[in-house]
mmCIF file of all heavy atoms in Angstrom:
data_model
loop_
_atom_site.group_PDB
_atom_site.id
_atom_site.type_symbol
_atom_site.label_atom_id
_atom_site.label_comp_id
_atom_site.label_asym_id
_atom_site.label_seq_id
_atom_site.Cartn_x
_atom_site.Cartn_y
_atom_site.Cartn_z
ATOM 1 N N LEU J 1 -11.661 41.203 -22.965
ATOM 2 C CA LEU J 1 -12.711 41.961 -23.639
ATOM 3 C C LEU J 1 -12.112 42.943 -24.637
ATOM 4 O O LEU J 1 -12.594 43.030 -25.796
ATOM 5 C CB LEU J 1 -13.563 42.724 -22.610
ATOM 6 C CG LEU J 1 -14.644 43.661 -23.163
ATOM 7 C CD1 LEU J 1 -15.625 42.881 -24.032
ATOM 8 C CD2 LEU J 1 -15.366 44.373 -22.041
ATOM 9 N N ILE J 2 -11.087 43.651 -24.235
ATOM 10 C CA ILE J 2 -10.453 44.599 -25.143
ATOM 11 C C ILE J 2 -9.823 43.854 -26.321
ATOM 12 O O ILE J 2 -9.926 44.287 -27.478
ATOM 13 C CB ILE J 2 -9.392 45.435 -24.400
ATOM 14 C CG1 ILE J 2 -10.060 46.369 -23.384
ATOM 15 C CG2 ILE J 2 -8.549 46.267 -25.363
ATOM 16 C CD1 ILE J 2 -9.114 47.100 -22.494
ATOM 17 N N GLY J 3 -9.182 42.712 -26.051
ATOM 18 C CA GLY J 3 -8.603 41.907 -27.125
ATOM 19 C C GLY J 3 -9.665 41.461 -28.116
ATOM 20 O O GLY J 3 -9.462 41.529 -29.333
ATOM 21 N N ALA J 4 -10.813 41.014 -27.594
ATOM 22 C CA ALA J 4 -11.911 40.568 -28.464
ATOM 23 C C ALA J 4 -12.449 41.723 -29.300
ATOM 24 O O ALA J 4 -12.746 41.562 -30.481
ATOM 25 C CB ALA J 4 -13.034 39.957 -27.611
ATOM 26 N N LEU J 5 -12.544 42.909 -28.694
ATOM 27 C CA LEU J 5 -13.043 44.078 -29.422
ATOM 28 C C LEU J 5 -12.087 44.501 -30.520
ATOM 29 O O LEU J 5 -12.542 44.933 -31.611
ATOM 30 C CB LEU J 5 -13.277 45.245 -28.448
ATOM 31 C CG LEU J 5 -14.446 45.064 -27.475
ATOM 32 C CD1 LEU J 5 -14.483 46.213 -26.472
ATOM 33 C CD2 LEU J 5 -15.768 44.974 -28.227
ATOM 34 N N LEU J 6 -10.785 44.371 -30.281
ATOM 35 C CA LEU J 6 -9.815 44.717 -31.328
ATOM 36 C C LEU J 6 -9.923 43.746 -32.510
ATOM 37 O O LEU J 6 -9.812 44.168 -33.664
ATOM 38 C CB LEU J 6 -8.400 44.706 -30.746
ATOM 39 C CG LEU J 6 -8.054 45.874 -29.805
ATOM 40 C CD1 LEU J 6 -6.654 45.702 -29.233
ATOM 41 C CD2 LEU J 6 -8.162 47.206 -30.522
ATOM 42 N N PHE J 7 -10.130 42.457 -32.235
ATOM 43 C CA PHE J 7 -10.342 41.502 -33.306
ATOM 44 C C PHE J 7 -11.629 41.830 -34.070
ATOM 45 O O PHE J 7 -11.669 41.761 -35.302
ATOM 46 C CB PHE J 7 -10.407 40.075 -32.749
ATOM 47 C CG PHE J 7 -9.090 39.374 -32.706
ATOM 48 C CD1 PHE J 7 -8.429 39.159 -31.513
ATOM 49 C CD2 PHE J 7 -8.484 38.919 -33.876
ATOM 50 C CE1 PHE J 7 -7.216 38.505 -31.474
ATOM 51 C CE2 PHE J 7 -7.261 38.272 -33.852
ATOM 52 C CZ PHE J 7 -6.618 38.064 -32.625
ATOM 53 N N ALA J 8 -12.678 42.167 -33.324
ATOM 54 C CA ALA J 8 -13.954 42.510 -33.956
ATOM 55 C C ALA J 8 -13.787 43.722 -34.868
ATOM 56 O O ALA J 8 -14.356 43.781 -35.962
ATOM 57 C CB ALA J 8 -15.022 42.793 -32.885
ATOM 58 N N TRP J 9 -12.985 44.703 -34.424
ATOM 59 C CA TRP J 9 -12.742 45.887 -35.236
ATOM 60 C C TRP J 9 -11.962 45.506 -36.510
ATOM 61 O O TRP J 9 -12.280 45.990 -37.602
ATOM 62 C CB TRP J 9 -11.963 46.898 -34.421
ATOM 63 C CG TRP J 9 -11.650 48.155 -35.177
ATOM 64 C CD1 TRP J 9 -12.468 49.205 -35.418
ATOM 65 C CD2 TRP J 9 -10.387 48.468 -35.821
ATOM 66 N NE1 TRP J 9 -11.828 50.167 -36.180
ATOM 67 C CE2 TRP J 9 -10.550 49.760 -36.435
ATOM 68 C CE3 TRP J 9 -9.160 47.823 -35.930
ATOM 69 C CZ2 TRP J 9 -9.502 50.363 -37.135
ATOM 70 C CZ3 TRP J 9 -8.130 48.437 -36.619
ATOM 71 C CH2 TRP J 9 -8.314 49.677 -37.228
ATOM 72 N N GLY J 10 -10.972 44.643 -36.360
ATOM 73 C CA GLY J 10 -10.177 44.230 -37.513
ATOM 74 C C GLY J 10 -10.956 43.404 -38.518
ATOM 75 O O GLY J 10 -10.667 43.430 -39.714
ATOM 76 N N LEU J 11 -11.946 42.661 -38.035
ATOM 77 C CA LEU J 11 -12.726 41.781 -38.903
ATOM 78 C C LEU J 11 -14.074 42.390 -39.311
ATOM 79 O O LEU J 11 -14.905 41.684 -39.892
ATOM 80 C CB LEU J 11 -12.961 40.438 -38.199
ATOM 81 C CG LEU J 11 -11.697 39.604 -37.924
ATOM 82 C CD1 LEU J 11 -11.973 38.485 -36.945
ATOM 83 C CD2 LEU J 11 -11.110 39.059 -39.224
ATOM 84 N N ARG J 12 -14.267 43.657 -38.953
ATOM 85 C CA ARG J 12 -15.536 44.318 -39.264
ATOM 86 C C ARG J 12 -15.794 44.359 -40.778
ATOM 87 O O ARG J 12 -14.859 44.450 -41.583
ATOM 88 C CB ARG J 12 -15.567 45.717 -38.692
ATOM 89 C CG ARG J 12 -14.667 46.707 -39.416
ATOM 90 C CD ARG J 12 -14.547 48.014 -38.636
ATOM 91 N NE ARG J 12 -13.800 49.026 -39.390
ATOM 92 C CZ ARG J 12 -12.466 49.032 -39.528
ATOM 93 N NH1 ARG J 12 -11.739 48.064 -38.966
ATOM 94 N NH2 ARG J 12 -11.885 49.981 -40.211
ATOM 95 N N GLY J 13 -17.046 44.268 -41.140
ATOM 96 C CA GLY J 13 -17.403 44.361 -42.563
ATOM 97 C C GLY J 13 -17.260 43.075 -43.358
ATOM 98 O O GLY J 13 -17.551 43.067 -44.551
ATOM 99 N N THR J 14 -16.847 42.001 -42.699
ATOM 100 C CA THR J 14 -16.686 40.737 -43.408
ATOM 101 C C THR J 14 -18.003 39.978 -43.436
ATOM 102 O O THR J 14 -18.914 40.224 -42.639
ATOM 103 C CB THR J 14 -15.594 39.862 -42.762
ATOM 104 O OG1 THR J 14 -15.916 39.668 -41.362
ATOM 105 C CG2 THR J 14 -14.243 40.518 -42.873
ATOM 106 N N ARG J 15 -18.080 39.010 -44.329
ATOM 107 C CA ARG J 15 -19.260 38.149 -44.460
ATOM 108 C C ARG J 15 -18.864 36.698 -44.249
ATOM 109 O O ARG J 15 -17.730 36.324 -44.472
ATOM 110 C CB ARG J 15 -19.902 38.315 -45.846
ATOM 111 C CG ARG J 15 -20.343 39.720 -46.181
ATOM 112 C CD ARG J 15 -21.152 39.727 -47.471
ATOM 113 N NE ARG J 15 -20.404 39.114 -48.570
ATOM 114 C CZ ARG J 15 -19.618 39.791 -49.389
ATOM 115 N NH1 ARG J 15 -19.440 41.086 -49.227
ATOM 116 N NH2 ARG J 15 -18.991 39.182 -50.379
ATOM 117 N N GLY J 16 -19.823 35.896 -43.835
ATOM 118 C CA GLY J 16 -19.597 34.473 -43.716
ATOM 119 C C GLY J 16 -19.643 33.937 -42.284
ATOM 120 O O GLY J 16 -19.631 32.709 -42.080
ATOM 121 N N LEU J 17 -19.722 34.826 -41.309
ATOM 122 C CA LEU J 17 -19.764 34.358 -39.931
ATOM 123 C C LEU J 17 -21.034 33.574 -39.639
ATOM 124 O O LEU J 17 -21.027 32.610 -38.863
ATOM 125 C CB LEU J 17 -19.645 35.549 -38.962
ATOM 126 C CG LEU J 17 -19.418 35.225 -37.486
ATOM 127 C CD1 LEU J 17 -18.159 34.389 -37.300
ATOM 128 C CD2 LEU J 17 -19.338 36.513 -36.661
ATOM 129 N N ASP J 18 -22.141 33.971 -40.270
ATOM 130 C CA ASP J 18 -23.396 33.247 -40.076
ATOM 131 C C ASP J 18 -23.304 31.808 -40.601
ATOM 132 O O ASP J 18 -23.829 30.869 -39.986
ATOM 133 C CB ASP J 18 -24.547 33.980 -40.780
ATOM 134 C CG ASP J 18 -24.266 34.271 -42.245
ATOM 135 O OD1 ASP J 18 -23.090 34.254 -42.651
ATOM 136 O OD2 ASP J 18 -25.238 34.507 -42.993
ATOM 137 N N LYS J 19 -22.580 31.618 -41.710
ATOM 138 C CA LYS J 19 -22.375 30.273 -42.242
ATOM 139 C C LYS J 19 -21.498 29.453 -41.307
ATOM 140 O O LYS J 19 -21.698 28.247 -41.157
ATOM 141 C CB LYS J 19 -21.766 30.341 -43.636
ATOM 142 C CG LYS J 19 -22.715 30.932 -44.688
ATOM 143 C CD LYS J 19 -22.062 30.928 -46.065
ATOM 144 C CE LYS J 19 -22.990 31.506 -47.108
ATOM 145 N NZ LYS J 19 -22.367 31.549 -48.464
ATOM 146 N N ASN J 20 -20.511 30.094 -40.692
ATOM 147 C CA ASN J 20 -19.641 29.408 -39.722
ATOM 148 C C ASN J 20 -20.463 28.906 -38.551
ATOM 149 O O ASN J 20 -20.235 27.807 -38.041
ATOM 150 C CB ASN J 20 -18.547 30.349 -39.231
ATOM 151 C CG ASN J 20 -17.430 30.545 -40.251
ATOM 152 O OD1 ASN J 20 -17.434 29.919 -41.294
ATOM 153 N ND2 ASN J 20 -16.480 31.404 -39.920
ATOM 154 N N ILE J 21 -21.415 29.740 -38.095
ATOM 155 C CA ILE J 21 -22.261 29.338 -36.963
ATOM 156 C C ILE J 21 -23.119 28.141 -37.350
ATOM 157 O O ILE J 21 -23.254 27.190 -36.575
ATOM 158 C CB ILE J 21 -23.139 30.535 -36.517
ATOM 159 C CG1 ILE J 21 -22.262 31.662 -35.955
ATOM 160 C CG2 ILE J 21 -24.158 30.093 -35.475
ATOM 161 C CD1 ILE J 21 -23.017 32.943 -35.651
ATOM 162 N N GLU J 22 -23.717 28.172 -38.520
ATOM 163 C CA GLU J 22 -24.537 27.047 -38.994
ATOM 164 C C GLU J 22 -23.697 25.777 -39.115
ATOM 165 O O GLU J 22 -24.160 24.674 -38.815
ATOM 166 C CB GLU J 22 -25.149 27.380 -40.368
ATOM 167 C CG GLU J 22 -26.195 28.491 -40.323
ATOM 168 C CD GLU J 22 -26.678 28.845 -41.713
ATOM 169 O OE1 GLU J 22 -26.261 28.161 -42.682
ATOM 170 O OE2 GLU J 22 -27.459 29.812 -41.854
ATOM 171 N N ASN J 23 -22.433 25.954 -39.521
ATOM 172 C CA ASN J 23 -21.540 24.829 -39.714
ATOM 173 C C ASN J 23 -21.266 24.055 -38.425
ATOM 174 O O ASN J 23 -21.034 22.851 -38.442
ATOM 175 C CB ASN J 23 -20.220 25.355 -40.315
ATOM 176 C CG ASN J 23 -19.315 24.228 -40.774
ATOM 177 O OD1 ASN J 23 -18.194 24.093 -40.276
ATOM 178 N ND2 ASN J 23 -19.761 23.433 -41.727
ATOM 179 N N ILE J 24 -21.317 24.763 -37.302
ATOM 180 C CA ILE J 24 -21.079 24.122 -35.998
ATOM 181 C C ILE J 24 -22.095 23.015 -35.739
ATOM 182 O O ILE J 24 -21.762 21.976 -35.177
ATOM 183 C CB ILE J 24 -21.162 25.167 -34.853
ATOM 184 C CG1 ILE J 24 -20.028 26.187 -34.976
ATOM 185 C CG2 ILE J 24 -21.119 24.498 -33.485
ATOM 186 C CD1 ILE J 24 -20.129 27.320 -33.980
ATOM 187 N N PHE J 25 -23.315 23.253 -36.176
ATOM 188 C CA PHE J 25 -24.429 22.347 -35.822
ATOM 189 C C PHE J 25 -24.650 21.241 -36.855
ATOM 190 O O PHE J 25 -25.606 20.457 -36.718
ATOM 191 C CB PHE J 25 -25.711 23.160 -35.616
ATOM 192 C CG PHE J 25 -25.588 24.167 -34.527
ATOM 193 C CD1 PHE J 25 -25.342 25.495 -34.801
ATOM 194 C CD2 PHE J 25 -25.695 23.776 -33.192
ATOM 195 C CE1 PHE J 25 -25.205 26.436 -33.781
ATOM 196 C CE2 PHE J 25 -25.568 24.688 -32.170
ATOM 197 C CZ PHE J 25 -25.314 26.021 -32.451
ATOM 198 N N GLU J 26 -23.811 21.185 -37.873
ATOM 199 C CA GLU J 26 -23.885 20.060 -38.801
ATOM 200 C C GLU J 26 -23.505 18.784 -38.059
ATOM 201 O O GLU J 26 -22.629 18.788 -37.199
ATOM 202 C CB GLU J 26 -22.970 20.296 -39.999
ATOM 203 C CG GLU J 26 -23.428 21.414 -40.910
ATOM 204 C CD GLU J 26 -22.498 21.647 -42.070
ATOM 205 O OE1 GLU J 26 -21.515 20.888 -42.205
ATOM 206 O OE2 GLU J 26 -22.744 22.590 -42.855
#
């Protein structure tokens, strides 16, 4: 959990994750 939160902090403010999620279901 702490590792995931540190990644989330480092990647904060970025765009494109929503497109990545949509891409899974293609």
Side-chain angles (χ1 to χ4, degrees):
L1 175 59
I2 292 173
L5 290 174
L6 288 177
F7 269 107
W9 179 80
L11 295 167
R12 71 190 186 284
T14 56
R15 301 189 305 270
L17 191 57
D18 54 340
K19 293 182 180 179
N20 283 356
I21 294 173
E22 292 175 5
N23 190 241
I24 294 173
F25 300 99
E26 291 179 3

